[in-house]
Amino acid sequence: MAGILRLKDYESSSDEEEGINAHLLPIKNPEISISQSIALVAAPEVVSNEDSSGLRHIDANTKELKYNPKHDELFAPYVGPVNPYKTAQSSQKKNTLCGFVEPAHVNSFQFDNQRKTFTSYGFALDPSVDNGSQPDTFIGDVKLLEENKGKTVFETNSVVEKKKKKRKREVNEDPADIDGYLGPWAKYKDEETVSRPSEEEQKVLDEILAKRNKSGKQVDEKPLEEKTTLHIKDAYDYQNRSFLHPPQDVGVNLKSEEPPEKCFLPKKLIHTWAGHTKGIAAIRWFPKFAHLILSAGMDCKIKIWEVYKERRCIRTYTGHKQAVRDICFNNDGKEFLSCGYDRYCKLWDTETGECKARFTSRKVPYCVKFHPEEDKQHLFVAGTSDKKIVCWDIRSGDIIQEYDRHLGPVNTITFIDQNRRFVSTSDDKSLRVWEWDVPVDFKYIADPSMHSMPAVTLSPNGKWLACQSMDNKICVFNALNRMKFIRKKTFTGHMVAGYACGIDFSPEMSYITCGDADGKVYIWDWRSTKLYSKFKAHDDVCINVLWHPHETSKLATAGWDGVIKYWD
């Protein structure tokens, strides 16, 4: 080491003449000790592998720092060599996939205001320009910008603008001016009290109305002209009696007021009446005697048939444009009512076939009933499709009462309690009891488990009300004891869902019977509710079953196959 220091202190010189390139000279300052020289230059000038800047480098992937770094440490450049293959774009500093996002405060109101302005008007402030240092620069539709004078949605919809656009009224607030005082009733200055279409608009309107009148239905539909056809040669017998007179030589006392002592189950078909071209909607016995049967068909015709002797079709009544829905005799059978889907109720003379009166409320009547009392035979009620029960007076042809409480079309009307009250059922799955001539129901029966009941029949003794329920049951209510529901009296086994299959009792109330959707007839025992008999009667729905009031085992059935059958 000492030799190296001695060599350092020598000076070199060139001596070209002697051919010597370099030589060593003596030490300049021999007083300096070797140890001191060694201490001053102990370490060579080399680059250290450790960073001598005193900074603690932070890994770029570090998520958490456990000390408080200084600014120089936090923003120091990345350690390591630069990748020479990176492009200028990829070597830029990024904090997202797309680039570097700087945090900035944006007022939410201003942001929404500019966004809605651009959506509505097509222009907005340029978001890329700092508007604090430069004048406002806009992007978007220049024409709309000039029209709106750069106003945003908020400014155009402001209260000030609305007040400017508010219409002005004519003013005269002087109450002393009796004739000219306007007050709060003053008209607007630009208000038109009478507005008429221009000539061109009037022509267009006339053309539209002319087309509607041609294509649309007439408002006042004229009812079909009523006709009748007598199918027998002699309308009167040798004693000048019409077919309404009950026969006396049939082996049955048709004038008897007492029912048979004991009834039996019918077993065989004895006659079929065929004449309707479509299904039959309803059949009714002639009152008291039941020697005639009236049928209403979906072929818009009503026919009356003989029950005894030759069993002929006596008369056909034609007068409805659409299918007949219901029919009802009055007490003596000389007149009957019919209602159809043509919105008309018609009163017919049974003997002559004359249509005596027409009634319409411009709604479809679903059921019609004469008032059973002798002194009220001029009144009848009809349940209509507009949720009302309408009462007509035949003498005047006017509606004298409306029972408007149901929430659906009215399906049935049944008089109870010696005809002082009546029960109605509807599509609203309820049963309502009304006092006659009181348009507010005093009894309302509805239960979540109840279904619509489109067919209701009163028992011969007037005590029970049998209702055909849409859940394939016959429900029974006590008509005298506050319409109490009799849970034990439920008749099941048939399938009637969707059809208003009628119910009937045997005259002495030992059986209850009805049809079903498969064309079968079901007969139950009234006391035990046991199913006694079931037989196929029709090819289609058996819509009505009637037990003869004077016979022990005679049953009439009607179906949608267009025939009426008589069973014994």
Side-chain angles (χ1 to χ4, degrees), residues 180-440:
Y181 177 68
L182 298 175
W185 303 280
K187 296 179 181 178
Y188 293 105
K189 288 184 177 180
D190 56 347
E191 184 177 356
E192 292 183 8
T193 53
V194 179
S195 181
R196 292 181 181 178
S198 63
E199 293 182 1
E200 295 179 358
E201 291 173 342
Q202 188 63 45
K203 286 181 181 178
V204 175
L205 290 172
D206 290 339
E207 289 177 5
I208 293 170
L209 291 172
K211 287 180 182 178
R212 283 184 185 174
N213 292 333
K214 285 182 181 178
S215 60
K217 292 181 180 179
Q218 294 180 357
V219 178
D220 297 326
E221 291 185 1
K222 293 182 180 179
L224 189 69
E225 185 182 352
E226 293 81 8
K227 295 179 182 178
T228 182
T229 307
L230 185 68
H231 299 286
I232 56 176
K233 289 183 180 180
D234 300 320
Y236 301 94
D237 61 4
Y238 68 98
Q239 290 185 337
N240 203 29
R241 295 177 300 189
S242 70
F243 60 86
L244 300 184
H245 191 272
Q248 298 177 355
D249 54 347
V250 293
V252 180
N253 183 10
L254 298 178
K255 295 183 178 180
S256 172
E257 295 183 358
E258 294 183 2
E261 291 184 6
K262 177 65 179 171
C263 288
F264 305 96
L265 298 175
K267 294 181 179 178
K268 64 178 180 178
L269 175 67
I270 58 175
H271 188 72
T272 301
W273 288 286
H276 286 284
T277 56
K278 291 184 180 178
I280 295 171
I283 54 174
R284 299 286 182 265
W285 291 121
F286 191 85
K288 297 179 184 176
F289 311 124
H291 67 289
L292 301 170
I293 189 166
L294 189 70
S295 64
M298 298 178 190
D299 56 355
C300 313
K301 294 178 181 177
I302 304 163
K303 293 178 181 284
I304 193 163
W305 315 79
E306 284 181 330
V307 177
Y308 295 99
K309 295 184 179 179
E310 298 178 33
R311 299 193 171 108
R312 300 168 293 178
C313 176
I314 299 175
R315 192 179 279 280
T316 300
Y317 310 86
T318 308
H320 284 281
K321 277 187 175 180
Q322 296 182 34
V324 185
R325 168 80 186 205
D326 196 16
I327 45 178
C328 179
F329 276 111
N330 65 355
N331 284 359
D332 57 11
K334 292 181 180 179
E335 296 174 346
F336 69 88
L337 280 165
S338 66
C339 66
Y341 287 100
D342 58 354
R343 299 185 177 90
Y344 274 92
C345 296
K346 298 194 175 186
L347 179 67
W348 303 83
D349 187 296
T350 312
E351 185 179 333
T352 64
E354 177 193 356
C355 180
K356 291 186 171 183
R358 307 179 195 91
F359 311 91
T360 181
S361 63
R362 299 183 179 245
K363 302 294 176 183
V364 177
Y366 285 165
C367 56
V368 285
K369 274 284 170 69
F370 272 106
H371 195 288
E373 290 296 319
E374 288 294 339
D375 60 338
K376 292 177 181 158
Q377 286 288 285
H378 59 280
L379 301 176
F380 76 91
V381 285
T384 59
S385 59
D386 63 340
K387 314 169 191 175
K388 293 180 182 179
I389 300 169
V390 186
C391 179
W392 267 286
D393 190 335
I394 290 171
R395 298 171 300 186
S396 64
D398 298 330
I399 296 173
I400 60 170
Q401 186 63 274
E402 281 188 356
Y403 305 84
D404 185 9
R405 301 278 285 181
H406 274 293
L407 305 175
V410 181
N411 292 320
T412 66
I413 298 171
T414 311
F415 284 89
I416 61 169
D417 195 12
Q418 298 178 352
N419 306 322
R420 289 176 293 195
R421 299 170 180 170
F422 65 91
V423 176
S424 63
T425 61
S426 167
D427 283 353
D428 61 3
K429 303 180 183 179
S430 71
L431 185 145
R432 296 174 191 259
V433 188
W434 313 75
E435 292 279 356
W436 177 254
D437 215 18
V438 178
V440 179

Side-chain angles (χ1 to χ4, degrees), residues 383-566:
T384 59
S385 59
D386 63 340
K387 314 169 191 175
K388 293 180 182 179
I389 300 169
V390 186
C391 179
W392 267 286
D393 190 335
I394 290 171
R395 298 171 300 186
S396 64
D398 298 330
I399 296 173
I400 60 170
Q401 186 63 274
E402 281 188 356
Y403 305 84
D404 185 9
R405 301 278 285 181
H406 274 293
L407 305 175
V410 181
N411 292 320
T412 66
I413 298 171
T414 311
F415 284 89
I416 61 169
D417 195 12
Q418 298 178 352
N419 306 322
R420 289 176 293 195
R421 299 170 180 170
F422 65 91
V423 176
S424 63
T425 61
S426 167
D427 283 353
D428 61 3
K429 303 180 183 179
S430 71
L431 185 145
R432 296 174 191 259
V433 188
W434 313 75
E435 292 279 356
W436 177 254
D437 215 18
V438 178
V440 179
D441 51 326
F442 76 91
K443 184 78 174 177
Y444 170 68
I445 300 170
D447 189 79
S449 62
M450 279 178 61
H451 287 68
S452 177
M453 295 181 287
V456 177
T457 303
L458 186 67
S459 63
N461 60 9
K463 187 177 180 181
W464 310 102
L465 204 68
C467 306
Q468 185 77 266
S469 180
M470 284 285 98
D471 58 344
N472 301 325
K473 292 180 183 177
I474 296 177
C475 302
V476 178
F477 294 86
N478 191 329
L480 301 180
N481 185 15
R482 299 182 181 180
M483 293 300 295
K484 183 181 178 182
F485 176 54
I486 313 300
R487 295 190 180 277
K488 293 183 179 179
K489 287 274 189 212
T490 304
F491 302 89
T492 58
H494 57 313
M495 200 278 286
V496 291
Y499 302 94
C501 298
I503 310 167
D504 199 25
F505 291 86
S506 61
E508 33 70 271
M509 278 201 63
S510 57
Y511 303 110
I512 182 172
T513 179
C514 84
D516 85 334
D518 294 330
K520 294 178 182 176
V521 173
Y522 288 75
I523 303 174
W524 293 270
D525 180 52
W526 169 252
R527 291 184 180 178
S528 64
T529 70
K530 183 180 178 182
L531 180 63
Y532 270 3
S533 178
K534 175 179 72 171
F535 57 89
K536 181 79 171 176
H538 292 273
D539 297 331
D540 210 329
V541 181
C542 180
I543 200 69
N544 226 328
V545 178
L546 294 180
W547 206 294
H548 198 286
H550 300 293
E551 299 272 7
T552 56
S553 59
K554 298 285 175 61
L555 201 69
T557 63
W560 282 9
D561 53 358
V563 296
I564 304 169
K565 294 187 178 181
Y566 199 40

